């Protein structure tokens, strides 16, 4: 078995550091080996060392162009990724790899029609190709065509029922439809079979997604209640209307939280504890719970104090969102 074959096997198992070591041993014996150089760039990219991957990729062939497009796409340099993928297609128009990365780059640019065309060109070169079917599924998902994405994903799983990418996409589609229990069962099984491929962020998505939804909902709902109440001097019935709005906002947020968290079980909470910025997220959860509780208190009493405290808690919740992104 060659160094490249051993490295690919290790990478398929998610052992990227070991794969990199194997590649570097091979390059010590054959410094200019094009296959190993492209593999090195790929393994660096899979370890999220995107700038290093670009620096390592100094070749000009089709495979190097495809790998360069992947790194550029990961860095958010979408126009350059499109250019590199197009160059790869020009060099080898009968190979599907260039069309697949072009489809993903076009989708990242919001060009879903041309992305879909590129994915279908890849499929024309191999109608039963699992990677091409999954690229089409991802394009359709990003385009908001959930049923088409599910069809393409099921077609990929029919070819390879154990495909990690297919199982991942099914879980993501279930999550986006708020089929939380199904999504978590799929992710839990995938993590058990491929522990190197699933990060804590993926397993903690119910809590992280809930916080994102609460920031959007409370960030609009609480100021709306305040605005309606401030109109009382012009329209006296607005005070009662504001209490009704507060009750609706609190009820919707509480219902959303229950729908996400109850089917998710304990795994998201355990995974959340392994992520960075744990204290920030703990503050966010407390602030969200306080905001909903105080909205209910305002709806019940009509007093200004609970509403102002709810507004303060919501501002803290929004501030934690900015802190998480820093």
């Amino acid at each position: 078995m060659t160094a490249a074959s051993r490295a690919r096997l290790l990478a398929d198992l998610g052992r990227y550091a070991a794969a990199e070591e194997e590649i570097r041993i091979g390059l010590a014996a054959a410094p200019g080996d094009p296959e190993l150089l492209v593999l090195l760039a790929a393994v660096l990219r899979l370890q999220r060392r995107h700038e290093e991957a670009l620096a390592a990729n100094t070749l000009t062939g089709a495979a190097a162009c495809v790998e360069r497009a992947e790194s550029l796409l990961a860095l958010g340099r979408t126009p350059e990724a499109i250019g590199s993928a197009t160059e790869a297609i020009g060099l080898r128009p009968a190979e599907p790899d260039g069309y697949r990365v072009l489809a993903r780059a076009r989708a990242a640019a919001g060009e879903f029609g041309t992305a879909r065309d590129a994915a279908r060109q890849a499929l024309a070169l191999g109608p039963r190709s699992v990677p091409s079917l999954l690229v089409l599924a991802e394009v359709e998902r990003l385009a908001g065509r959930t049923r088409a994405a599910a069809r393409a994903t099921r077609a990929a799983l029919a070819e390879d029922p154990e495909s990690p990418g297919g199982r991942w996409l099914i879980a993501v589609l279930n999550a986006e439809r708020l089929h939380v229990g199904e999504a978590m069962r799929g992710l839990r099984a995938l993590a058990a079979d491929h522990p190197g491929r699933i990060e804590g962020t993926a397993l903690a998505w119910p809590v992280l997604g809930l916080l994102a939804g609460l920031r959007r909902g409370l960030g609009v709902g609480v100021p709306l209640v305040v605005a309606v109440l401030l109109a009382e001097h012009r329209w006296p019935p607005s005070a009662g209307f504001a209490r009704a709005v507060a009750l609706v906002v609190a009820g919707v947020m509480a219902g959303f939280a229950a729908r996400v968290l109850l089917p998710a079980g304990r795994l998201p909470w355990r995974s959340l504890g392994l992520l960075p910025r744990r204290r920030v997220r703990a503050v966010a959860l407390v602030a969200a719970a306080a905001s909903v509780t105080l909205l209910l208190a305002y709806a019940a009493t009509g007093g200004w104090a609970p509403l102002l405290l709810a507004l303060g808690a919501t501002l803290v919740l929004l501030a934690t969102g900015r802190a998480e992104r820093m």
Side-chain angles (χ1 to χ4, degrees), residues 109-219:
E111 302 169 6
F112 298 115
T114 51
R116 192 176 296 114
D117 290 342
R120 286 174 176 163
Q121 284 179 295
L123 274 171
L125 296 169
R128 300 175 66 179
S129 165
V130 172
S132 297
L133 285 165
L134 291 179
V135 166
L136 177 60
E138 183 63 16
V139 168
E140 298 290 22
R141 184 184 77 84
L142 293 173
R145 300 177 57 180
T146 305
R147 291 183 181 178
R151 281 197 302 271
T153 307
R154 286 195 295 268
L157 289 170
E159 298 296 330
D160 179 7
E162 296 304 314
S163 164
R167 292 165 67 187
W168 167 261
L169 262 177
I170 286 292
V172 170
L173 290 167
N174 280 328
E176 291 178 348
R177 292 190 294 245
L178 281 185
H179 297 167
V180 179
E182 293 176 55
M184 288 307 299
R185 284 192 292 273
L187 287 174
R188 189 180 293 110
L190 187 56
D193 294 340
H194 303 276
R197 291 177 177 268
I198 302 296
E199 298 178 348
T201 303
L203 296 175
W205 73 263
V207 179
L208 300 177
L210 173 64
L211 282 174
L214 290 173
R215 286 188 183 104
R216 288 192 294 270
L218 292 170

Side-chain angles (χ1 to χ4, degrees), residues 17-156:
E20 180 186 350
E21 183 179 355
E22 193 66 48
I23 293 166
R24 293 194 184 280
I25 291 171
L27 285 171
D33 187 306
E35 184 180 14
L36 286 173
L37 287 170
V38 173
L39 269 176
L40 177 61
V43 167
L44 291 171
R45 173 177 55 82
L46 290 168
Q47 295 178 83
R48 302 183 184 277
R49 294 155 61 186
H50 305 304
E51 294 289 357
E52 290 181 63
L54 276 179
N57 191 355
T58 58
L59 304 178
T60 57
C65 288
V66 168
E67 182 51 47
R68 189 173 297 112
E70 293 281 8
S71 294
L72 290 166
L73 188 56
L75 287 166
R77 294 162 60 178
T78 306
E80 293 173 78
I82 291 171
S84 189
T86 303
E87 184 180 351
I89 292 169
L91 291 169
R92 287 190 184 173
E95 294 290 332
D97 291 352
Y99 296 104
R100 285 196 289 258
V101 71
L102 178 62
R104 293 172 48 241
R106 292 286 189 191
E111 302 169 6
F112 298 115
T114 51
R116 192 176 296 114
D117 290 342
R120 286 174 176 163
Q121 284 179 295
L123 274 171
L125 296 169
R128 300 175 66 179
S129 165
V130 172
S132 297
L133 285 165
L134 291 179
V135 166
L136 177 60
E138 183 63 16
V139 168
E140 298 290 22
R141 184 184 77 84
L142 293 173
R145 300 177 57 180
T146 305
R147 291 183 181 178
R151 281 197 302 271
T153 307
R154 286 195 295 268

